[in-house]
Amino acid sequence: LLFSERWTIETTTALILTFAIFCLLSSSIYALNDIIDRKRDSLHSLKTNRPIASGELSIANGLIFSFLLLTVATLLALQQHI
């Protein structure tokens, strides 16, 4: 894109939205991974302070958060035809 001389507001917007979708999707997976690893993380000296491992955030709220991120990413991707 940078060297194709097709740098327009539309391509820039698409690029930013695609990056945002990627971030939302990866964050959804990270949240799900924190739920899966919560028992191991609670025993780890550094990871024990993570919200789910410490019990600060419930598993149900973590699942809701992960699902919301996934839903927003999917809706944005469908809107952008990605």
Side-chain angles (χ1 to χ4, degrees):
L1 182 62
L2 183 59
F3 300 109
S4 69
E5 298 180 12
R6 294 182 185 156
W7 201 263
T8 65
I9 191 71
E10 291 84 13
T11 57
T12 303
T13 303
L15 177 69
I16 292 170
L17 251 113
T18 302
F19 179 71
I21 291 166
F22 171 79
C23 291
L24 288 167
L25 284 173
S26 60
S27 295
S28 173
I29 298 301
Y30 287 137
L32 192 58
N33 184 59
D34 279 354
I35 292 167
I36 293 167
D37 289 344
R38 69 187 179 280
K39 289 180 183 177
R40 262 182 289 178
D41 288 350
S42 67
L43 301 174
H44 192 276
S45 61
L46 296 175
K47 297 177 183 179
T48 191
N49 295 323
R50 291 181 176 179
I52 294 174
S54 69
E56 191 176 327
L57 184 68
S58 71
I59 295 169
N61 284 340
L63 286 171
I64 290 168
F65 179 68
S66 180
F67 179 74
L68 286 174
L69 290 172
L70 178 63
T71 301
V72 171
T74 302
L75 292 173
L76 285 172
L78 289 171
Q79 181 185 25
Q80 293 300 309
H81 306 289
I82 295 176

